[in-house]
Amino acid sequence: MRLVTTIRGTLPVMVLALLAWGASAPASAEGGGTRAGGDDAPTAFVPCGDAAALVTAVGQVAASGGTVALAAGCAYTLTSVAATGANGADGLPVITGNVAIVGTGSTIRRSASAPDFRIAEVAPGGRLSVSGVTLSGGRAVDGAGILDAGDLTLQRSAVTTSVASGVGGGVQVAPGATATFSLSHLSGNSANDGGGVHVGTGASLTVNSSTLSDNTADSTGGAIANWGNSTLSAAVIETNHTTNFEGGGIWTSLGNMTFNGGRIIGNTAGSSGAGIANFGSTLHLQATAVSGNVATLNGGGLFSHAGNTQIVGANITGNTAHGGQGGGIFSDGGSVSLIATNVTGNNPNNCVPALAGCAT
């Protein structure tokens, strides 16, 4: 009888202790999934705003693997270079192992007064997963937010206001690398090519339910410049811009570009193809709205210069070729086929040359 009383008295205390521990743990560090680096890999909890502790924590797991958990709602401001390699300066140690950085509304940013460096770099063979974190303010030649030469996952995260003088203002997916963005946002980034993200030859990009907006490229691909294989589902490409050349929203050459069930809206191009410009890819556009895009020259919605373009069940409406032809679609090379697609209400005309299935 006394034993039963003791157990009954102890259980509530144990339960309360477990509940208190669970409430204090960062939400993004919880759950039944395997930790980065394996079940035995360490998790480092970084105090709010302590950038030095963040750099130390990443350095401790960068090669061996592990999880770095940031305090919810806190900003970590990097003021100096943590590593310098063949690709230039980095604000965090280079990732060569399997690393997760998790937070809840947390931010890692480069100080405006700091020397130029990108925020993070993933080396070949390395894996980085970022969840619930915004990375901002990076400055580099390539991949100013993140240079990914391995495997990168962004989940409910953002890369913003990063500037590359070369390619990939937000993210560079280097040749042969892979990247996946889910429920994430790339905005306000800029580069010469691929203001939001640059996908290198043989690289792979998967975008799910994410938005790329207000990114700028001096040359091609305001949001995305694709040389590899990119698949976008339920994505939004919105109000991106190229200053001089094609692909205000998307520029694609080589490889494959598949866009399914999303929107390409309100983008502008300094030349042709304000929504999307195909310079040699196999392009599949399905169940997508392409509207409100404005090109300085030809192809407000779509510009085809080379490659094969198939458009199925899409709506291409309200686009403008301000100084040229084919407000909806303009083709001077490659092949374009329309299946159950609505191309209407574009200015000054819908399709040049005429395409089967395009309104005259």
Side-chain angles (χ1 to χ4, degrees):
M1 187 70 177
R2 185 173 298 171
L3 177 61
V4 173
T5 302
T6 302
I7 293 174
R8 286 178 178 173
T10 303
L11 278 174
V13 175
M14 293 174 63
V15 170
L16 287 172
L18 287 170
L19 289 173
W21 176 86
S24 65
S28 51
E30 295 177 353
T34 302
R35 294 178 183 175
D39 289 336
D40 295 330
T43 296
F45 296 89
V46 184
C48 183
D50 193 337
L54 168 62
V55 172
T56 298
V58 173
Q60 289 172 342
V61 300
S64 58
T67 298
V68 175
L70 309 182
C74 290
Y76 299 81
T77 303
L78 304 174
T79 59
S80 60
V81 174
T84 302
N87 297 307
D90 300 291
L92 297 174
V94 177
I95 305 300
T96 58
N98 184 4
V99 174
I101 300 176
V102 300
T104 303
S106 311
T107 299
I108 302 173
R109 63 192 180 194
R110 172 188 155 274
S111 170
S113 61
D116 288 355
F117 54 78
R118 72 176 54 83
I119 304 300
E121 178 176 350
V122 187
R127 300 181 66 185
L128 174 62
S129 173
V130 181
S131 177
V133 180
T134 294
L135 309 180
S136 70
R139 297 183 69 91
V141 175
D142 298 323
I146 303 173
L147 192 159
D148 169 31
D151 182 83
L152 170 68
T153 299
L154 298 180
Q155 173 75 20
R156 297 185 183 275
S157 293
V159 181
T160 66
T161 60
S162 293
V163 179
S165 58
V167 302
V171 176
Q172 180 196 7
V173 188
T178 59
T180 301
F181 306 158
S182 298
L183 299 169
S184 293
H185 193 184
L186 273 68
S187 67
N189 305 290
S190 63
N192 187 54
D193 288 294
V197 55
H198 183 277
V199 184
T201 305
S204 175
L205 171 67
T206 301
V207 179
N208 299 311
S209 301
S210 296
T211 299
L212 285 82
S213 64
D214 300 306
N215 301 287
T216 299
D218 290 336
S219 185
T220 59
I224 300 174
N226 175 63
W227 291 83
N229 298 292
S230 295
T231 301
L232 292 81
S233 301
V236 177
I237 307 297
E238 183 176 18
T239 58
N240 302 282
H241 174 68
T242 55
T243 303
N244 297 309
F245 297 108
E246 298 86 6
I250 297 172
W251 183 89
T252 185
S253 179
L254 305 179
N256 301 289
M257 167 65 70
T258 299
F259 200 111
N260 185 26
R263 294 181 292 158
I264 302 172
I265 56 176
N267 303 284
T268 57
S271 179
S272 299
I276 186 166
N278 188 2
F279 272 66
S281 292
T282 297
L283 169 63
H284 295 280
L285 197 65
Q286 183 167 341
T288 294
V290 181
S291 64
N293 302 287
V294 179
T296 301
L297 295 177
N298 301 306
L302 169 72
F303 176 68
S304 172
H305 181 69
N308 301 302
T309 299
Q310 184 182 71
I311 306 173
V312 180
N315 285 291
I316 302 176
T317 61
N319 303 285
T320 300
H322 189 70
Q325 297 294 314
I329 300 172
F330 183 90
S331 176
D332 66 4
S335 66
V336 180
S337 64
L338 304 178
I339 301 172
T341 289
N342 174 42
V343 187
T344 58
N346 301 284
N347 295 300
N349 37 41
N350 289 311
C351 298
V352 175
L355 292 171
C358 181
T360 56

PDB file of all heavy atoms in Angstrom, residues 257-296:
ATOM      1  N   MET A 257      13.548  22.569 -67.067  1.00  0.00           N
ATOM      2  CA  MET A 257      12.818  23.459 -66.169  1.00  0.00           C
ATOM      3  C   MET A 257      11.352  23.043 -66.199  1.00  0.00           C
ATOM      4  O   MET A 257      10.705  23.085 -67.250  1.00  0.00           O
ATOM      5  CB  MET A 257      12.968  24.915 -66.611  1.00  0.00           C
ATOM      6  CG  MET A 257      12.009  25.902 -65.953  1.00  0.00           C
ATOM      7  SD  MET A 257      12.201  26.120 -64.166  1.00  0.00           S
ATOM      8  CE  MET A 257      13.772  26.984 -64.086  1.00  0.00           C
ATOM      9  N   THR A 258      10.833  22.624 -65.042  1.00  0.00           N
ATOM     10  CA  THR A 258       9.429  22.237 -64.920  1.00  0.00           C
ATOM     11  C   THR A 258       8.765  23.137 -63.893  1.00  0.00           C
ATOM     12  O   THR A 258       9.253  23.273 -62.768  1.00  0.00           O
ATOM     13  CB  THR A 258       9.297  20.766 -64.484  1.00  0.00           C
ATOM     14  OG1 THR A 258       9.910  19.923 -65.464  1.00  0.00           O
ATOM     15  CG2 THR A 258       7.833  20.377 -64.339  1.00  0.00           C
ATOM     16  N   PHE A 259       7.651  23.743 -64.299  1.00  0.00           N
ATOM     17  CA  PHE A 259       6.925  24.662 -63.414  1.00  0.00           C
ATOM     18  C   PHE A 259       5.474  24.207 -63.388  1.00  0.00           C
ATOM     19  O   PHE A 259       4.785  24.251 -64.401  1.00  0.00           O
ATOM     20  CB  PHE A 259       7.031  26.096 -63.941  1.00  0.00           C
ATOM     21  CG  PHE A 259       6.754  27.152 -62.914  1.00  0.00           C
ATOM     22  CD1 PHE A 259       7.767  27.969 -62.454  1.00  0.00           C
ATOM     23  CD2 PHE A 259       5.477  27.337 -62.406  1.00  0.00           C
ATOM     24  CE1 PHE A 259       7.520  28.957 -61.504  1.00  0.00           C
ATOM     25  CE2 PHE A 259       5.211  28.305 -61.456  1.00  0.00           C
ATOM     26  CZ  PHE A 259       6.240  29.121 -61.004  1.00  0.00           C
ATOM     27  N   ASN A 260       5.017  23.779 -62.218  1.00  0.00           N
ATOM     28  CA  ASN A 260       3.698  23.166 -62.123  1.00  0.00           C
ATOM     29  C   ASN A 260       2.857  23.837 -61.038  1.00  0.00           C
ATOM     30  O   ASN A 260       3.237  23.869 -59.869  1.00  0.00           O
ATOM     31  CB  ASN A 260       3.843  21.675 -61.808  1.00  0.00           C
ATOM     32  CG  ASN A 260       2.513  20.947 -61.807  1.00  0.00           C
ATOM     33  OD1 ASN A 260       1.569  21.361 -62.466  1.00  0.00           O
ATOM     34  ND2 ASN A 260       2.439  19.863 -61.061  1.00  0.00           N
ATOM     35  N   GLY A 261       1.716  24.397 -61.459  1.00  0.00           N
ATOM     36  CA  GLY A 261       0.727  24.857 -60.493  1.00  0.00           C
ATOM     37  C   GLY A 261       1.133  26.063 -59.683  1.00  0.00           C
ATOM     38  O   GLY A 261       0.867  26.118 -58.483  1.00  0.00           O
ATOM     39  N   GLY A 262       1.753  27.056 -60.307  1.00  0.00           N
ATOM     40  CA  GLY A 262       2.143  28.248 -59.567  1.00  0.00           C
ATOM     41  C   GLY A 262       1.799  29.514 -60.319  1.00  0.00           C
ATOM     42  O   GLY A 262       0.930  29.538 -61.197  1.00  0.00           O
ATOM     43  N   ARG A 263       2.508  30.594 -59.984  1.00  0.00           N
ATOM     44  CA  ARG A 263       2.260  31.892 -60.612  1.00  0.00           C
ATOM     45  C   ARG A 263       3.579  32.562 -60.971  1.00  0.00           C
ATOM     46  O   ARG A 263       4.521  32.558 -60.171  1.00  0.00           O
ATOM     47  CB  ARG A 263       1.474  32.796 -59.670  1.00  0.00           C
ATOM     48  CG  ARG A 263       0.055  32.327 -59.381  1.00  0.00           C
ATOM     49  CD  ARG A 263      -0.656  33.298 -58.454  1.00  0.00           C
ATOM     50  NE  ARG A 263      -0.058  33.284 -57.127  1.00  0.00           N
ATOM     51  CZ  ARG A 263      -0.166  34.282 -56.241  1.00  0.00           C
ATOM     52  NH1 ARG A 263      -0.806  35.387 -56.564  1.00  0.00           N
ATOM     53  NH2 ARG A 263       0.387  34.176 -55.051  1.00  0.00           N
ATOM     54  N   ILE A 264       3.610  33.159 -62.165  1.00  0.00           N
ATOM     55  CA  ILE A 264       4.732  33.985 -62.609  1.00  0.00           C
ATOM     56  C   ILE A 264       4.118  35.341 -62.930  1.00  0.00           C
ATOM     57  O   ILE A 264       3.511  35.531 -63.984  1.00  0.00           O
ATOM     58  CB  ILE A 264       5.427  33.367 -63.837  1.00  0.00           C
ATOM     59  CG1 ILE A 264       5.922  31.950 -63.511  1.00  0.00           C
ATOM     60  CG2 ILE A 264       6.589  34.243 -64.294  1.00  0.00           C
ATOM     61  CD1 ILE A 264       6.459  31.190 -64.715  1.00  0.00           C
ATOM     62  N   ILE A 265       4.245  36.292 -62.017  1.00  0.00           N
ATOM     63  CA  ILE A 265       3.438  37.507 -62.117  1.00  0.00           C
ATOM     64  C   ILE A 265       4.253  38.769 -61.803  1.00  0.00           C
ATOM     65  O   ILE A 265       5.108  38.782 -60.921  1.00  0.00           O
ATOM     66  CB  ILE A 265       2.222  37.441 -61.171  1.00  0.00           C
ATOM     67  CG1 ILE A 265       2.651  37.192 -59.727  1.00  0.00           C
ATOM     68  CG2 ILE A 265       1.260  36.354 -61.617  1.00  0.00           C
ATOM     69  CD1 ILE A 265       1.498  37.226 -58.732  1.00  0.00           C
ATOM     70  N   GLY A 266       3.983  39.816 -62.586  1.00  0.00           N
ATOM     71  CA  GLY A 266       4.513  41.135 -62.275  1.00  0.00           C
ATOM     72  C   GLY A 266       6.008  41.294 -62.396  1.00  0.00           C
ATOM     73  O   GLY A 266       6.592  42.197 -61.792  1.00  0.00           O
ATOM     74  N   ASN A 267       6.663  40.449 -63.196  1.00  0.00           N
ATOM     75  CA  ASN A 267       8.107  40.565 -63.392  1.00  0.00           C
ATOM     76  C   ASN A 267       8.405  41.483 -64.572  1.00  0.00           C
ATOM     77  O   ASN A 267       7.581  41.652 -65.474  1.00  0.00           O
ATOM     78  CB  ASN A 267       8.701  39.179 -63.630  1.00  0.00           C
ATOM     79  CG  ASN A 267       8.400  38.224 -62.489  1.00  0.00           C
ATOM     80  OD1 ASN A 267       9.003  38.297 -61.432  1.00  0.00           O
ATOM     81  ND2 ASN A 267       7.435  37.324 -62.705  1.00  0.00           N
ATOM     82  N   THR A 268       9.603  42.061 -64.596  1.00  0.00           N
ATOM     83  CA  THR A 268       9.991  42.958 -65.678  1.00  0.00           C
ATOM     84  C   THR A 268      11.377  42.578 -66.195  1.00  0.00           C
ATOM     85  O   THR A 268      12.221  42.089 -65.436  1.00  0.00           O
ATOM     86  CB  THR A 268      10.012  44.427 -65.220  1.00  0.00           C
ATOM     87  OG1 THR A 268      10.900  44.568 -64.096  1.00  0.00           O
ATOM     88  CG2 THR A 268       8.623  44.889 -64.808  1.00  0.00           C
ATOM     89  N   ALA A 269      11.585  42.812 -67.503  1.00  0.00           N
ATOM     90  CA  ALA A 269      12.872  42.489 -68.125  1.00  0.00           C
ATOM     91  C   ALA A 269      13.385  43.679 -68.911  1.00  0.00           C
ATOM     92  O   ALA A 269      12.619  44.340 -69.621  1.00  0.00           O
ATOM     93  CB  ALA A 269      12.733  41.277 -69.045  1.00  0.00           C
ATOM     94  N   GLY A 270      14.693  43.929 -68.812  1.00  0.00           N
ATOM     95  CA  GLY A 270      15.315  44.997 -69.574  1.00  0.00           C
ATOM     96  C   GLY A 270      15.406  44.691 -71.047  1.00  0.00           C
ATOM     97  O   GLY A 270      15.702  45.568 -71.852  1.00  0.00           O
ATOM     98  N   SER A 271      15.139  43.433 -71.410  1.00  0.00           N
ATOM     99  CA  SER A 271      15.128  43.023 -72.812  1.00  0.00           C
ATOM    100  C   SER A 271      13.854  42.217 -73.063  1.00  0.00           C
ATOM    101  O   SER A 271      12.762  42.765 -72.996  1.00  0.00           O
ATOM    102  CB  SER A 271      16.388  42.212 -73.131  1.00  0.00           C
ATOM    103  OG  SER A 271      16.394  41.773 -74.467  1.00  0.00           O
ATOM    104  N   SER A 272      13.967  40.927 -73.312  1.00  0.00           N
ATOM    105  CA  SER A 272      12.812  40.094 -73.661  1.00  0.00           C
ATOM    106  C   SER A 272      12.544  39.036 -72.590  1.00  0.00           C
ATOM    107  O   SER A 272      13.404  38.722 -71.777  1.00  0.00           O
ATOM    108  CB  SER A 272      13.059  39.411 -75.007  1.00  0.00           C
ATOM    109  OG  SER A 272      13.233  40.361 -76.042  1.00  0.00           O
ATOM    110  N   GLY A 273      11.319  38.489 -72.641  1.00  0.00           N
ATOM    111  CA  GLY A 273      10.972  37.409 -71.724  1.00  0.00           C
ATOM    112  C   GLY A 273      10.859  37.861 -70.286  1.00  0.00           C
ATOM    113  O   GLY A 273      11.618  37.422 -69.422  1.00  0.00           O
ATOM    114  N   ALA A 274       9.884  38.732 -70.017  1.00  0.00           N
ATOM    115  CA  ALA A 274       9.751  39.252 -68.655  1.00  0.00           C
ATOM    116  C   ALA A 274       9.336  38.169 -67.670  1.00  0.00           C
ATOM    117  O   ALA A 274       9.813  38.130 -66.535  1.00  0.00           O
ATOM    118  CB  ALA A 274       8.742  40.396 -68.625  1.00  0.00           C
ATOM    119  N   GLY A 275       8.432  37.272 -68.100  1.00  0.00           N
ATOM    120  CA  GLY A 275       8.034  36.183 -67.215  1.00  0.00           C
ATOM    121  C   GLY A 275       9.076  35.084 -67.190  1.00  0.00           C
ATOM    122  O   GLY A 275       9.625  34.741 -66.146  1.00  0.00           O
ATOM    123  N   ILE A 276       9.332  34.527 -68.382  1.00  0.00           N
ATOM    124  CA  ILE A 276      10.297  33.432 -68.493  1.00  0.00           C
ATOM    125  C   ILE A 276      10.928  33.459 -69.880  1.00  0.00           C
ATOM    126  O   ILE A 276      10.254  33.740 -70.874  1.00  0.00           O
ATOM    127  CB  ILE A 276       9.617  32.072 -68.202  1.00  0.00           C
ATOM    128  CG1 ILE A 276      10.636  30.931 -68.180  1.00  0.00           C
ATOM    129  CG2 ILE A 276       8.479  31.804 -69.158  1.00  0.00           C
ATOM    130  CD1 ILE A 276      10.074  29.652 -67.574  1.00  0.00           C
ATOM    131  N   ALA A 277      12.225  33.194 -69.938  1.00  0.00           N
ATOM    132  CA  ALA A 277      12.955  33.155 -71.204  1.00  0.00           C
ATOM    133  C   ALA A 277      13.645  31.808 -71.326  1.00  0.00           C
ATOM    134  O   ALA A 277      14.397  31.410 -70.428  1.00  0.00           O
ATOM    135  CB  ALA A 277      13.980  34.284 -71.267  1.00  0.00           C
ATOM    136  N   ASN A 278      13.373  31.106 -72.440  1.00  0.00           N
ATOM    137  CA  ASN A 278      13.985  29.795 -72.679  1.00  0.00           C
ATOM    138  C   ASN A 278      15.063  29.923 -73.740  1.00  0.00           C
ATOM    139  O   ASN A 278      14.785  30.242 -74.893  1.00  0.00           O
ATOM    140  CB  ASN A 278      12.927  28.783 -73.118  1.00  0.00           C
ATOM    141  CG  ASN A 278      13.490  27.365 -73.196  1.00  0.00           C
ATOM    142  OD1 ASN A 278      14.660  27.124 -72.897  1.00  0.00           O
ATOM    143  ND2 ASN A 278      12.653  26.421 -73.595  1.00  0.00           N
ATOM    144  N   PHE A 279      16.307  29.628 -73.342  1.00  0.00           N
ATOM    145  CA  PHE A 279      17.449  29.710 -74.248  1.00  0.00           C
ATOM    146  C   PHE A 279      18.066  28.342 -74.514  1.00  0.00           C
ATOM    147  O   PHE A 279      19.236  28.263 -74.873  1.00  0.00           O
ATOM    148  CB  PHE A 279      18.496  30.670 -73.683  1.00  0.00           C
ATOM    149  CG  PHE A 279      18.280  32.101 -74.101  1.00  0.00           C
ATOM    150  CD1 PHE A 279      17.169  32.800 -73.665  1.00  0.00           C
ATOM    151  CD2 PHE A 279      19.170  32.741 -74.948  1.00  0.00           C
ATOM    152  CE1 PHE A 279      16.952  34.110 -74.046  1.00  0.00           C
ATOM    153  CE2 PHE A 279      18.966  34.054 -75.347  1.00  0.00           C
ATOM    154  CZ  PHE A 279      17.855  34.748 -74.901  1.00  0.00           C
ATOM    155  N   GLY A 280      17.282  27.267 -74.332  1.00  0.00           N
ATOM    156  CA  GLY A 280      17.818  25.966 -74.703  1.00  0.00           C
ATOM    157  C   GLY A 280      17.398  24.807 -73.835  1.00  0.00           C
ATOM    158  O   GLY A 280      17.836  23.675 -74.055  1.00  0.00           O
ATOM    159  N   SER A 281      16.553  25.031 -72.857  1.00  0.00           N
ATOM    160  CA  SER A 281      16.105  23.959 -71.967  1.00  0.00           C
ATOM    161  C   SER A 281      14.906  23.218 -72.541  1.00  0.00           C
ATOM    162  O   SER A 281      14.253  23.673 -73.486  1.00  0.00           O
ATOM    163  CB  SER A 281      15.707  24.535 -70.602  1.00  0.00           C
ATOM    164  OG  SER A 281      16.812  25.031 -69.908  1.00  0.00           O
ATOM    165  N   THR A 282      14.594  22.086 -71.931  1.00  0.00           N
ATOM    166  CA  THR A 282      13.289  21.469 -72.095  1.00  0.00           C
ATOM    167  C   THR A 282      12.400  22.056 -71.008  1.00  0.00           C
ATOM    168  O   THR A 282      12.604  21.792 -69.819  1.00  0.00           O
ATOM    169  CB  THR A 282      13.375  19.944 -71.958  1.00  0.00           C
ATOM    170  OG1 THR A 282      14.208  19.428 -73.004  1.00  0.00           O
ATOM    171  CG2 THR A 282      11.995  19.317 -72.064  1.00  0.00           C
ATOM    172  N   LEU A 283      11.465  22.895 -71.420  1.00  0.00           N
ATOM    173  CA  LEU A 283      10.634  23.657 -70.487  1.00  0.00           C
ATOM    174  C   LEU A 283       9.211  23.116 -70.501  1.00  0.00           C
ATOM    175  O   LEU A 283       8.575  23.044 -71.552  1.00  0.00           O
ATOM    176  CB  LEU A 283      10.638  25.138 -70.882  1.00  0.00           C
ATOM    177  CG  LEU A 283       9.632  26.058 -70.188  1.00  0.00           C
ATOM    178  CD1 LEU A 283       9.890  26.126 -68.687  1.00  0.00           C
ATOM    179  CD2 LEU A 283       9.686  27.463 -70.805  1.00  0.00           C
ATOM    180  N   HIS A 284       8.720  22.728 -69.319  1.00  0.00           N
ATOM    181  CA  HIS A 284       7.331  22.298 -69.154  1.00  0.00           C
ATOM    182  C   HIS A 284       6.648  23.283 -68.210  1.00  0.00           C
ATOM    183  O   HIS A 284       7.059  23.431 -67.055  1.00  0.00           O
ATOM    184  CB  HIS A 284       7.254  20.887 -68.569  1.00  0.00           C
ATOM    185  CG  HIS A 284       7.811  19.825 -69.457  1.00  0.00           C
ATOM    186  ND1 HIS A 284       7.117  19.290 -70.518  1.00  0.00           N
ATOM    187  CD2 HIS A 284       9.014  19.203 -69.446  1.00  0.00           C
ATOM    188  CE1 HIS A 284       7.859  18.380 -71.123  1.00  0.00           C
ATOM    189  NE2 HIS A 284       9.021  18.304 -70.494  1.00  0.00           N
ATOM    190  N   LEU A 285       5.594  23.909 -68.710  1.00  0.00           N
ATOM    191  CA  LEU A 285       4.831  24.880 -67.926  1.00  0.00           C
ATOM    192  C   LEU A 285       3.404  24.359 -67.840  1.00  0.00           C
ATOM    193  O   LEU A 285       2.721  24.242 -68.862  1.00  0.00           O
ATOM    194  CB  LEU A 285       4.878  26.237 -68.620  1.00  0.00           C
ATOM    195  CG  LEU A 285       4.498  27.481 -67.834  1.00  0.00           C
ATOM    196  CD1 LEU A 285       5.486  27.717 -66.705  1.00  0.00           C
ATOM    197  CD2 LEU A 285       4.470  28.692 -68.764  1.00  0.00           C
ATOM    198  N   GLN A 286       2.955  24.001 -66.636  1.00  0.00           N
ATOM    199  CA  GLN A 286       1.656  23.357 -66.502  1.00  0.00           C
ATOM    200  C   GLN A 286       0.831  24.011 -65.397  1.00  0.00           C
ATOM    201  O   GLN A 286       1.333  24.288 -64.302  1.00  0.00           O
ATOM    202  CB  GLN A 286       1.837  21.872 -66.186  1.00  0.00           C
ATOM    203  CG  GLN A 286       0.530  21.099 -66.099  1.00  0.00           C
ATOM    204  CD  GLN A 286       0.754  19.599 -66.094  1.00  0.00           C
ATOM    205  OE1 GLN A 286       1.809  19.114 -66.491  1.00  0.00           O
ATOM    206  NE2 GLN A 286      -0.245  18.852 -65.661  1.00  0.00           N
ATOM    207  N   ALA A 287      -0.458  24.269 -65.718  1.00  0.00           N
ATOM    208  CA  ALA A 287      -1.415  24.788 -64.731  1.00  0.00           C
ATOM    209  C   ALA A 287      -0.852  25.988 -63.983  1.00  0.00           C
ATOM    210  O   ALA A 287      -0.978  26.102 -62.762  1.00  0.00           O
ATOM    211  CB  ALA A 287      -1.810  23.683 -63.754  1.00  0.00           C
ATOM    212  N   THR A 288      -0.245  26.886 -64.730  1.00  0.00           N
ATOM    213  CA  THR A 288       0.431  28.042 -64.145  1.00  0.00           C
ATOM    214  C   THR A 288      -0.149  29.329 -64.711  1.00  0.00           C
ATOM    215  O   THR A 288      -0.481  29.404 -65.892  1.00  0.00           O
ATOM    216  CB  THR A 288       1.946  27.964 -64.432  1.00  0.00           C
ATOM    217  OG1 THR A 288       2.489  26.831 -63.746  1.00  0.00           O
ATOM    218  CG2 THR A 288       2.670  29.211 -63.972  1.00  0.00           C
ATOM    219  N   ALA A 289      -0.261  30.348 -63.870  1.00  0.00           N
ATOM    220  CA  ALA A 289      -0.703  31.670 -64.309  1.00  0.00           C
ATOM    221  C   ALA A 289       0.517  32.527 -64.610  1.00  0.00           C
ATOM    222  O   ALA A 289       1.403  32.684 -63.761  1.00  0.00           O
ATOM    223  CB  ALA A 289      -1.545  32.329 -63.227  1.00  0.00           C
ATOM    224  N   VAL A 290       0.563  33.064 -65.836  1.00  0.00           N
ATOM    225  CA  VAL A 290       1.637  33.972 -66.250  1.00  0.00           C
ATOM    226  C   VAL A 290       0.955  35.290 -66.605  1.00  0.00           C
ATOM    227  O   VAL A 290       0.302  35.396 -67.645  1.00  0.00           O
ATOM    228  CB  VAL A 290       2.416  33.410 -67.455  1.00  0.00           C
ATOM    229  CG1 VAL A 290       3.546  34.353 -67.855  1.00  0.00           C
ATOM    230  CG2 VAL A 290       2.963  32.020 -67.142  1.00  0.00           C
ATOM    231  N   SER A 291       1.084  36.283 -65.742  1.00  0.00           N
ATOM    232  CA  SER A 291       0.306  37.502 -65.959  1.00  0.00           C
ATOM    233  C   SER A 291       1.011  38.735 -65.403  1.00  0.00           C
ATOM    234  O   SER A 291       1.809  38.651 -64.462  1.00  0.00           O
ATOM    235  CB  SER A 291      -1.078  37.378 -65.310  1.00  0.00           C
ATOM    236  OG  SER A 291      -0.960  37.269 -63.908  1.00  0.00           O
ATOM    237  N   GLY A 292       0.704  39.869 -66.047  1.00  0.00           N
ATOM    238  CA  GLY A 292       1.204  41.152 -65.559  1.00  0.00           C
ATOM    239  C   GLY A 292       2.690  41.359 -65.698  1.00  0.00           C
ATOM    240  O   GLY A 292       3.268  42.230 -65.041  1.00  0.00           O
ATOM    241  N   ASN A 293       3.344  40.580 -66.561  1.00  0.00           N
ATOM    242  CA  ASN A 293       4.781  40.735 -66.785  1.00  0.00           C
ATOM    243  C   ASN A 293       5.018  41.720 -67.932  1.00  0.00           C
ATOM    244  O   ASN A 293       4.257  41.745 -68.901  1.00  0.00           O
ATOM    245  CB  ASN A 293       5.399  39.381 -67.116  1.00  0.00           C
ATOM    246  CG  ASN A 293       5.156  38.361 -66.017  1.00  0.00           C
ATOM    247  OD1 ASN A 293       5.756  38.422 -64.952  1.00  0.00           O
ATOM    248  ND2 ASN A 293       4.238  37.416 -66.265  1.00  0.00           N
ATOM    249  N   VAL A 294       6.095  42.514 -67.835  1.00  0.00           N
ATOM    250  CA  VAL A 294       6.346  43.556 -68.827  1.00  0.00           C
ATOM    251  C   VAL A 294       7.789  43.472 -69.319  1.00  0.00           C
ATOM    252  O   VAL A 294       8.740  43.621 -68.532  1.00  0.00           O
ATOM    253  CB  VAL A 294       6.087  44.961 -68.247  1.00  0.00           C
ATOM    254  CG1 VAL A 294       6.387  46.032 -69.293  1.00  0.00           C
ATOM    255  CG2 VAL A 294       4.651  45.083 -67.752  1.00  0.00           C
ATOM    256  N   ALA A 295       7.943  43.237 -70.649  1.00  0.00           N
ATOM    257  CA  ALA A 295       9.268  43.199 -71.273  1.00  0.00           C
ATOM    258  C   ALA A 295       9.528  44.507 -72.011  1.00  0.00           C
ATOM    259  O   ALA A 295       8.621  45.070 -72.634  1.00  0.00           O
ATOM    260  CB  ALA A 295       9.357  42.031 -72.248  1.00  0.00           C
ATOM    261  N   THR A 296      10.768  44.956 -71.964  1.00  0.00           N
ATOM    262  CA  THR A 296      11.143  46.152 -72.717  1.00  0.00           C
ATOM    263  C   THR A 296      11.064  45.891 -74.214  1.00  0.00           C
ATOM    264  O   THR A 296      10.690  46.782 -74.986  1.00  0.00           O
ATOM    265  CB  THR A 296      12.564  46.591 -72.335  1.00  0.00           C
ATOM    266  OG1 THR A 296      12.597  46.867 -70.929  1.00  0.00           O
ATOM    267  CG2 THR A 296      12.977  47.839 -73.097  1.00  0.00           C
TER     268      THR A 296
END
